[in-house]
Amino acid sequence: MPIRILALDTATEACSVALYNDGEQTSYFEVCPQRHTQRILPLVDQILTESGITLNQLDALAFGKGPGSFTGVRIGIGIAQGLALGADLPLIGISTLKTMAEGCRRTNNAYQVLTGIDARMGEIYLGCYMVGQNNHWQQTVPEKVLTPQQVINQLTMLTNEWQLAGTAWQAYPDLANQIQKNGSNCQLIKSNIEFPSALDMLPLALDDWQHGLYKSVEQVEPSYLRNNVAWKKLPNRL
């Protein structure tokens, strides 16, 4: 049986959709700050129409669960819930930080990646990933929201070469140098991955699907990392 998974992400300034259709992958990616609500559904419709696939023919729907912009994360999970509810599809939530690590592997063959998103308010959403057993990503440090100084203190144990992905490294341009000066025996290399892309969610979602790691519409939750953000699941999410 062919496997078909649609992925979408609106958690950052970028907006993207991707489709896995029995081994074939297509995707659309736009940087469109504050226009996610106008762009995401037309992109979903476009990719399904061009592929000759309907929502009811999908096996699952994946979405970027965060962290990222509060509004962007809410838009993504709300759209995913709405589409999945109408087509009776299971949902797969994918970390935006892990998605960017996968982007570095796809584009640069990277196997150790520091992903950071500018969380505003003087903080960073940080992910620390390396490829481990069975070629799967493993977290060497749990995803956290930290100040730049806490990031520096957290990463003194790094060794060898790590790629940097996300907006944090542009927001704090001296951060990588400070990490290395603080005792880390490592080489930090900036990648071309600034935002998560739904294309890089596909292999992660496919693996979760094959291992039964999916949820119903009512079970999914966003990942804000900040504890003071309220969220109500369907049917009271607005």
Side-chain angles (χ1 to χ4, degrees):
M1 291 286 293
I3 298 175
R4 299 185 176 101
I5 297 175
L6 177 70
L8 63 90
D9 179 70
T10 61
T12 64
E13 292 90 329
C15 180
S16 61
V17 299
L19 178 67
Y20 181 91
N21 183 12
D22 194 24
E24 182 178 336
Q25 300 182 55
T26 53
S27 65
Y28 294 102
F29 176 93
E30 297 180 3
V31 177
C32 52
Q34 301 180 345
R35 295 188 63 236
H36 297 71
T37 53
Q38 292 99 322
R39 294 300 301 141
I40 187 63
L41 284 176
L43 288 175
V44 168
D45 183 64
Q46 180 179 354
I47 201 168
L48 291 175
T49 300
E50 291 180 354
S51 301
I53 300 295
T54 66
L55 276 174
N56 291 322
Q57 291 176 296
L58 296 173
D59 293 289
L61 199 155
F63 66 95
K65 67 178 183 178
S69 156
F70 294 162
T71 300
V73 172
R74 286 195 294 268
I75 290 170
I77 192 172
I79 294 293
Q81 285 179 312
L83 293 173
L85 188 65
D88 193 25
L89 296 172
L91 288 168
I92 303 170
I94 303 294
S95 162
T96 50
L97 296 170
K98 188 176 181 180
T99 297
M100 289 191 293
E102 183 64 29
C104 286
R105 175 157 61 172
R106 173 178 59 86
T107 59
N108 302 319
N109 200 34
Y111 288 87
Q112 295 191 134
V113 185
L114 288 178
T115 55
I117 295 175
D118 181 11
R120 310 304 168 94
M121 300 195 302
E123 293 181 318
I124 294 166
Y125 298 124
L126 179 72
C128 189
Y129 283 94
M130 66 185 302
V131 175
Q133 292 182 344
N134 300 320
N135 211 32
H136 290 169
W137 289 108
Q138 296 180 346
Q139 295 183 38
T140 60
V141 175
E143 294 183 354
K144 298 180 180 180
V145 57
L146 302 169
T147 66
Q149 185 58 53
Q150 287 173 327
V151 171
I152 294 169
N153 296 339
Q154 182 80 66
L155 299 178
T156 56
M157 76 303 183
L158 298 183
T159 59
N160 302 319
E161 181 179 297
W162 291 74
Q163 287 206 4
L164 306 177
T167 56
W169 315 104
Q170 289 75 36
Y172 300 94
D174 196 44
L175 182 58
N177 289 334
Q178 291 299 318
I179 292 171
Q180 293 178 124
K181 289 179 181 179
N182 201 46
S184 292
N185 183 24
C186 65
Q187 183 180 8
L188 304 181
I189 301 173
K190 291 183 180 179
S191 73
N192 59 342
I193 302 297
E194 188 174 4
F195 303 111
S197 170
L199 176 62
D200 297 312
M201 292 169 59
L202 291 179
L204 305 175
L206 179 62
D207 185 68
D208 281 355
W209 168 257
Q210 292 172 334
H211 287 86
L213 301 178
Y214 45 81
K215 297 181 178 180
S216 68
V217 169
E218 295 81 9
Q219 291 174 318
V220 295
E221 294 182 347
S223 174
Y224 290 121
L225 296 189
R226 285 192 174 115
N227 293 327
N228 60 344
V229 179
W231 171 258
K232 292 183 179 181
K233 302 180 193 176
L234 278 176
N236 301 312
R237 69 175 185 274
L238 298 179

